[in-house]
Amino acid sequence: MVGKKRSTLKKIKPKKKLVVGNWKMNPQTAAEASRTFGKIRTTAGKLRKVNTVVCPPSVFLGDLRKGVMGKRLLLGGQDCHFEPDGSHTGEISALQLASVKAKYVIVGHSERRADGETDERIGGKVAAALKSGLSVIVCVGETARDKNGRYLKKIEDQLLRGLASVSQADFERVVIAYEPIWAIGKNALRPAHPRDVFEMKIFVRRVLSDAFGKNHSEKMLFLYGGSVDAKNARDFLADGEADGLLVGRASLDAGAFGEILKIAEEVGS
Ligand code: PGA
């Protein structure tokens, strides 16, 4: 009886951890970008349970593309435009990113939302990225928490509006990064608690399960980002049950980022 029951349980394929470095507007020279990437490559290349993605400023993508390694080390953009081409001075299209071997793009980062990016615009960018064959890392996160849980509504809106045009078939190329704004950057109040991360993962899954179906939402990768470092990475992955991490400052230091990657390998299944 027990055996029979077990055999009917659906086996969920273990997911590799996904660790993404968001370099933001750093470093200042191509030489330094290559050096840091080279060091990250040495660590990332040895890991079997982690897929690493580096998102440098796009001017460096062309140089760094020579160093990508299968799924172990990939490149991503930090943003893309929602139009496929045209008169958009200073912008980058999803196809341009794909043409220099980027496989991912971050969309809806809070620093861009702070510059006036709307959920609808983000939805357009998600659609453009998927159409160009990229996987898309959609950032969501609340500015502050309130006792009544109103911040959850904000996350739900960000998810549903940002993913409004995603088809079920494309959903497997969508990664959600939960980055509470109060936990990001030098002025962060504090990193989130792993319990906050776990609860948010459950919430995001529930919202996406209603929108895309349970099967899809269970396969979704859920990342945590915001003041991740080598000291707290294990807590987010193990106790917070994050499927990976989106790392800002610490990803610019190849040593610290390498430590985070090794921790993800230890926690990974
Ligand atoms: P941080 O940045 O790790 O420096 O807090 C995270 C992010 O903004 O993606």
Side-chain angles (χ1 to χ4, degrees):
M1 188 65 191
V2 173
K4 200 168 175 196
K5 232 182 189 168
R6 261 203 202 130
S7 68
T8 58
L9 277 180
K10 204 159 133 256
K11 290 197 184 95
I12 297 179
K13 227 170 111 204
K15 300 170 195 159
K16 287 194 183 185
K17 298 291 179 208
L18 179 66
V19 181
V20 183
N22 174 13
W23 284 2
K24 306 189 180 180
M25 204 167 71
N26 304 292
Q28 299 314 306
T29 65
E32 202 183 332
S34 292
R35 260 196 311 276
T36 307
F37 190 69
K39 289 185 195 157
I40 292 172
R41 188 177 193 271
T42 307
T43 310
K46 295 182 192 136
L47 308 181
R48 288 182 306 110
K49 298 175 193 164
V50 182
N51 293 333
T52 303
V53 179
V54 172
C55 300
S58 49
V59 285
F60 300 144
L61 283 168
D63 274 358
L64 303 185
R65 63 188 279 189
K66 296 171 222 118
V68 301
M69 279 188 293
K71 281 192 174 167
R72 291 195 184 182
L73 179 62
L74 295 167
L75 288 170
Q78 297 177 9
D79 190 35
C80 67
H81 201 270
F82 54 84
E83 293 285 4
D85 54 29
S87 307
H88 303 286
T89 303
E91 296 285 350
I92 293 164
S93 75
L95 264 179
Q96 289 167 337
L97 289 174
S99 83
V100 286
K101 283 242 179 106
K103 295 286 181 214
Y104 283 82
V105 62
I106 299 171
V107 163
H109 191 278
S110 61
E111 286 154 12
R112 299 206 65 94
R113 289 182 189 263
D115 275 348
E117 186 117 311
T118 60
D119 288 328
E120 286 65 27
R121 220 175 139 96
I122 291 164
K125 294 181 173 197
V126 170
L130 293 171
K131 196 162 173 214
S132 306
L134 298 173
S135 292
V136 61
I137 300 164
V138 184
C139 299
V140 298
E142 73 281 4
T143 318
R145 289 200 166 196
D146 58 283
K147 287 201 184 84
N148 304 323
R150 275 196 293 272
Y151 67 93
L152 290 172
K153 174 78 177 104
K154 176 153 184 210
I155 304 284
E156 183 174 359
D157 286 349
Q158 289 177 344
L159 286 168
L160 295 179
R161 291 182 189 153
L163 304 183
S165 65
V166 177
S167 68
Q168 294 220 349
D170 282 343
F171 185 70
E172 62 184 35
R173 284 187 288 127
V174 174
V175 175
I176 302 297
Y178 171 54
E179 295 208 311
I181 295 164
W182 47 267
I184 297 178
K186 308 202 268 296
N187 301 323
L189 282 179
R190 58 173 177 88
H193 191 282
R195 196 181 43 242
D196 300 331
V197 175
F198 179 67
E199 284 170 6
M200 189 55 79
K201 180 176 178 179
I202 305 284
F203 178 75
V204 168
R205 263 225 180 120
R206 210 182 64 216
V207 171
L208 297 184
S209 169
D210 290 346
F212 293 94
K214 195 157 174 260
N215 274 349
H216 291 288
S217 77
E218 270 172 4
K219 287 191 216 133
M220 167 204 77
L221 290 181
F222 174 88
L223 314 186
Y224 169 72
S227 297
V228 173
D229 58 25
K231 288 195 202 95
N232 59 27
R234 186 182 304 275
D235 297 340
F236 294 123
L237 294 169
D239 304 337
E241 294 194 24
D243 304 307
L245 301 165
L246 179 51
V247 186
R249 281 157 297 162
S251 69
L252 286 159
D253 174 340
F257 194 55
E259 285 309 307
I260 295 171
L261 295 176
K262 287 184 208 155
I263 291 165
E265 175 81 358
E266 283 166 26
V267 179
S269 42

